[in-house]
PDB file of all heavy atoms in Angstrom:
ATOM      1  N   GLY U  77     -19.543  10.161  -2.852  1.00 95.00           N
ATOM      2  CA  GLY U  77     -18.429  10.762  -3.579  1.00 95.00           C
ATOM      3  C   GLY U  77     -17.511  11.561  -2.659  1.00 95.00           C
ATOM      4  O   GLY U  77     -16.285  11.447  -2.739  1.00 95.00           O
ATOM      5  N   LEU U  78     -18.095  12.354  -1.776  1.00 97.00           N
ATOM      6  CA  LEU U  78     -17.298  13.138  -0.833  1.00 97.00           C
ATOM      7  C   LEU U  78     -16.514  12.233   0.118  1.00 97.00           C
ATOM      8  O   LEU U  78     -15.342  12.486   0.408  1.00 97.00           O
ATOM      9  CB  LEU U  78     -18.197  14.083  -0.036  1.00 97.00           C
ATOM     10  CG  LEU U  78     -18.728  15.291  -0.800  1.00 97.00           C
ATOM     11  CD1 LEU U  78     -19.743  16.061   0.053  1.00 97.00           C
ATOM     12  CD2 LEU U  78     -17.602  16.202  -1.230  1.00 97.00           C
ATOM     13  N   THR U  79     -17.157  11.179   0.593  1.00 97.00           N
ATOM     14  CA  THR U  79     -16.496  10.255   1.512  1.00 97.00           C
ATOM     15  C   THR U  79     -15.313   9.568   0.845  1.00 97.00           C
ATOM     16  O   THR U  79     -14.227   9.478   1.420  1.00 97.00           O
ATOM     17  CB  THR U  79     -17.502   9.205   2.031  1.00 97.00           C
ATOM     18  OG1 THR U  79     -18.560   9.881   2.698  1.00 97.00           O
ATOM     19  CG2 THR U  79     -16.836   8.224   2.974  1.00 97.00           C
ATOM     20  N   LEU U  80     -15.511   9.099  -0.373  1.00 96.00           N
ATOM     21  CA  LEU U  80     -14.421   8.438  -1.091  1.00 96.00           C
ATOM     22  C   LEU U  80     -13.287   9.408  -1.407  1.00 96.00           C
ATOM     23  O   LEU U  80     -12.110   9.043  -1.347  1.00 96.00           O
ATOM     24  CB  LEU U  80     -14.941   7.782  -2.371  1.00 96.00           C
ATOM     25  CG  LEU U  80     -15.810   6.540  -2.161  1.00 96.00           C
ATOM     26  CD1 LEU U  80     -16.451   6.108  -3.468  1.00 96.00           C
ATOM     27  CD2 LEU U  80     -15.000   5.416  -1.545  1.00 96.00           C
ATOM     28  N   MET U  81     -13.639  10.644  -1.718  1.00 97.00           N
ATOM     29  CA  MET U  81     -12.620  11.647  -1.992  1.00 97.00           C
ATOM     30  C   MET U  81     -11.812  11.943  -0.716  1.00 97.00           C
ATOM     31  O   MET U  81     -10.575  12.019  -0.771  1.00 97.00           O
ATOM     32  CB  MET U  81     -13.277  12.931  -2.509  1.00 97.00           C
ATOM     33  CG  MET U  81     -12.310  13.884  -3.153  1.00 97.00           C
ATOM     34  SD  MET U  81     -13.111  15.209  -4.094  1.00 97.00           S
ATOM     35  CE  MET U  81     -14.245  15.884  -2.918  1.00 97.00           C
ATOM     36  N   GLN U  82     -12.473  12.062   0.424  1.00 97.00           N
ATOM     37  CA  GLN U  82     -11.772  12.299   1.690  1.00 97.00           C
ATOM     38  C   GLN U  82     -10.890  11.109   2.057  1.00 97.00           C
ATOM     39  O   GLN U  82      -9.772  11.286   2.548  1.00 97.00           O
ATOM     40  CB  GLN U  82     -12.771  12.576   2.813  1.00 97.00           C
ATOM     41  CG  GLN U  82     -13.456  13.918   2.686  1.00 97.00           C
ATOM     42  CD  GLN U  82     -14.605  14.085   3.654  1.00 97.00           C
ATOM     43  OE1 GLN U  82     -15.111  13.123   4.226  1.00 97.00           O
ATOM     44  NE2 GLN U  82     -15.042  15.327   3.827  1.00 97.00           N
ATOM     45  N   GLN U  83     -11.398   9.916   1.800  1.00 96.00           N
ATOM     46  CA  GLN U  83     -10.598   8.708   2.046  1.00 96.00           C
ATOM     47  C   GLN U  83      -9.322   8.727   1.209  1.00 96.00           C
ATOM     48  O   GLN U  83      -8.237   8.424   1.701  1.00 96.00           O
ATOM     49  CB  GLN U  83     -11.407   7.469   1.656  1.00 96.00           C
ATOM     50  CG  GLN U  83     -11.846   6.617   2.768  1.00 96.00           C
ATOM     51  CD  GLN U  83     -12.583   5.394   2.245  1.00 96.00           C
ATOM     52  OE1 GLN U  83     -12.556   5.071   1.053  1.00 96.00           O
ATOM     53  NE2 GLN U  83     -13.246   4.716   3.145  1.00 96.00           N
ATOM     54  N   GLY U  84      -9.459   9.061  -0.059  1.00 95.00           N
ATOM     55  CA  GLY U  84      -8.307   9.119  -0.957  1.00 95.00           C
ATOM     56  C   GLY U  84      -7.295  10.165  -0.509  1.00 95.00           C
ATOM     57  O   GLY U  84      -6.082   9.928  -0.546  1.00 95.00           O
ATOM     58  N   GLU U  85      -7.776  11.319  -0.066  1.00 97.00           N
ATOM     59  CA  GLU U  85      -6.885  12.365   0.421  1.00 97.00           C
ATOM     60  C   GLU U  85      -6.141  11.923   1.679  1.00 97.00           C
ATOM     61  O   GLU U  85      -4.949  12.192   1.836  1.00 97.00           O
ATOM     62  CB  GLU U  85      -7.678  13.652   0.701  1.00 97.00           C
ATOM     63  CG  GLU U  85      -8.168  14.333  -0.563  1.00 97.00           C
ATOM     64  CD  GLU U  85      -9.151  15.461  -0.288  1.00 97.00           C
ATOM     65  OE1 GLU U  85      -9.525  15.673   0.891  1.00 97.00           O
ATOM     66  OE2 GLU U  85      -9.558  16.125  -1.258  1.00 97.00           O
ATOM     67  N   GLU U  86      -6.844  11.249   2.588  1.00 97.00           N
ATOM     68  CA  GLU U  86      -6.199  10.764   3.815  1.00 97.00           C
ATOM     69  C   GLU U  86      -5.174   9.685   3.497  1.00 97.00           C
ATOM     70  O   GLU U  86      -4.091   9.643   4.092  1.00 97.00           O
ATOM     71  CB  GLU U  86      -7.255  10.233   4.792  1.00 97.00           C
ATOM     72  CG  GLU U  86      -6.703   9.797   6.120  1.00 97.00           C
ATOM     73  CD  GLU U  86      -6.098  10.921   6.943  1.00 97.00           C
ATOM     74  OE1 GLU U  86      -6.323  12.120   6.638  1.00 97.00           O
ATOM     75  OE2 GLU U  86      -5.385  10.613   7.906  1.00 97.00           O
ATOM     76  N   LEU U  87      -5.476   8.828   2.559  1.00 95.00           N
ATOM     77  CA  LEU U  87      -4.530   7.801   2.137  1.00 95.00           C
ATOM     78  C   LEU U  87      -3.260   8.452   1.581  1.00 95.00           C
ATOM     79  O   LEU U  87      -2.147   8.044   1.913  1.00 95.00           O
ATOM     80  CB  LEU U  87      -5.172   6.887   1.090  1.00 95.00           C
ATOM     81  CG  LEU U  87      -4.351   5.724   0.568  1.00 95.00           C
ATOM     82  CD1 LEU U  87      -3.986   4.771   1.691  1.00 95.00           C
ATOM     83  CD2 LEU U  87      -5.122   4.981  -0.496  1.00 95.00           C
ATOM     84  N   ASN U  88      -3.423   9.486   0.765  1.00 95.00           N
ATOM     85  CA  ASN U  88      -2.261  10.204   0.226  1.00 95.00           C
ATOM     86  C   ASN U  88      -1.478  10.900   1.332  1.00 95.00           C
ATOM     87  O   ASN U  88      -0.244  10.924   1.305  1.00 95.00           O
ATOM     88  CB  ASN U  88      -2.691  11.213  -0.842  1.00 95.00           C
ATOM     89  CG  ASN U  88      -2.981  10.553  -2.158  1.00 95.00           C
ATOM     90  OD1 ASN U  88      -2.413   9.519  -2.491  1.00 95.00           O
ATOM     91  ND2 ASN U  88      -3.878  11.143  -2.917  1.00 95.00           N
ATOM     92  N   ARG U  89      -2.181  11.481   2.300  1.00 96.00           N
ATOM     93  CA  ARG U  89      -1.499  12.148   3.407  1.00 96.00           C
ATOM     94  C   ARG U  89      -0.654  11.154   4.199  1.00 96.00           C
ATOM     95  O   ARG U  89       0.507  11.414   4.516  1.00 96.00           O
ATOM     96  CB  ARG U  89      -2.513  12.825   4.332  1.00 96.00           C
ATOM     97  CG  ARG U  89      -1.863  13.695   5.409  1.00 96.00           C
ATOM     98  CD  ARG U  89      -2.875  14.167   6.437  1.00 96.00           C
ATOM     99  NE  ARG U  89      -3.364  13.098   7.278  1.00 96.00           N
ATOM    100  CZ  ARG U  89      -2.667  12.507   8.266  1.00 96.00           C
ATOM    101  NH1 ARG U  89      -1.428  12.873   8.508  1.00 96.00           N
ATOM    102  NH2 ARG U  89      -3.189  11.543   8.985  1.00 96.00           N
ATOM    103  N   LEU U  90      -1.220   9.992   4.491  1.00 94.00           N
ATOM    104  CA  LEU U  90      -0.476   8.961   5.230  1.00 94.00           C
ATOM    105  C   LEU U  90       0.699   8.430   4.413  1.00 94.00           C
ATOM    106  O   LEU U  90       1.782   8.199   4.949  1.00 94.00           O
ATOM    107  CB  LEU U  90      -1.408   7.818   5.628  1.00 94.00           C
ATOM    108  CG  LEU U  90      -2.417   8.156   6.711  1.00 94.00           C
ATOM    109  CD1 LEU U  90      -3.449   7.050   6.841  1.00 94.00           C
ATOM    110  CD2 LEU U  90      -1.718   8.406   8.041  1.00 94.00           C
ATOM    111  N   ARG U  91       0.487   8.256   3.124  1.00 93.00           N
ATOM    112  CA  ARG U  91       1.565   7.783   2.246  1.00 93.00           C
ATOM    113  C   ARG U  91       2.738   8.758   2.276  1.00 93.00           C
ATOM    114  O   ARG U  91       3.894   8.355   2.412  1.00 93.00           O
ATOM    115  CB  ARG U  91       1.028   7.626   0.816  1.00 93.00           C
ATOM    116  CG  ARG U  91       2.051   7.119  -0.178  1.00 93.00           C
ATOM    117  CD  ARG U  91       1.484   7.033  -1.578  1.00 93.00           C
ATOM    118  NE  ARG U  91       0.849   8.232  -2.063  1.00 93.00           N
ATOM    119  CZ  ARG U  91       1.494   9.314  -2.503  1.00 93.00           C
ATOM    120  NH1 ARG U  91       2.801   9.344  -2.512  1.00 93.00           N
ATOM    121  NH2 ARG U  91       0.828  10.363  -2.937  1.00 93.00           N
ATOM    122  N   GLN U  92       2.438  10.045   2.210  1.00 94.00           N
ATOM    123  CA  GLN U  92       3.491  11.062   2.251  1.00 94.00           C
ATOM    124  C   GLN U  92       4.149  11.134   3.624  1.00 94.00           C
ATOM    125  O   GLN U  92       5.350  11.379   3.726  1.00 94.00           O
ATOM    126  CB  GLN U  92       2.920  12.418   1.853  1.00 94.00           C
ATOM    127  CG  GLN U  92       2.541  12.473   0.392  1.00 94.00           C
ATOM    128  CD  GLN U  92       1.760  13.721   0.029  1.00 94.00           C
ATOM    129  OE1 GLN U  92       1.402  14.516   0.887  1.00 94.00           O
ATOM    130  NE2 GLN U  92       1.479  13.883  -1.262  1.00 94.00           N
ATOM    131  N   ALA U  93       3.378  10.899   4.685  1.00 94.00           N
ATOM    132  CA  ALA U  93       3.935  10.941   6.042  1.00 94.00           C
ATOM    133  C   ALA U  93       4.996   9.861   6.235  1.00 94.00           C
ATOM    134  O   ALA U  93       5.935  10.037   7.021  1.00 94.00           O
ATOM    135  CB  ALA U  93       2.823  10.777   7.072  1.00 94.00           C
ATOM    136  N   PHE U  94       4.864   8.751   5.530  1.00 91.00           N
ATOM    137  CA  PHE U  94       5.837   7.662   5.619  1.00 91.00           C
ATOM    138  C   PHE U  94       6.818   7.674   4.453  1.00 91.00           C
ATOM    139  O   PHE U  94       7.528   6.694   4.216  1.00 91.00           O
ATOM    140  CB  PHE U  94       5.124   6.314   5.703  1.00 91.00           C
ATOM    141  CG  PHE U  94       4.473   6.076   7.032  1.00 91.00           C
ATOM    142  CD1 PHE U  94       3.117   6.305   7.210  1.00 91.00           C
ATOM    143  CD2 PHE U  94       5.224   5.655   8.113  1.00 91.00           C
ATOM    144  CE1 PHE U  94       2.523   6.098   8.443  1.00 91.00           C
ATOM    145  CE2 PHE U  94       4.644   5.446   9.346  1.00 91.00           C
ATOM    146  CZ  PHE U  94       3.279   5.675   9.515  1.00 91.00           C
TER     147      PHE U  94
END
Side-chain angles (χ1 to χ4, degrees):
L78 286 173
T79 301
L80 289 171
M81 195 167 53
Q82 289 170 343
Q83 250 183 13
E85 290 170 356
E86 184 65 14
L87 182 61
N88 282 331
R89 188 189 70 74
L90 289 169
R91 181 182 52 77
Q92 291 170 354
F94 287 99

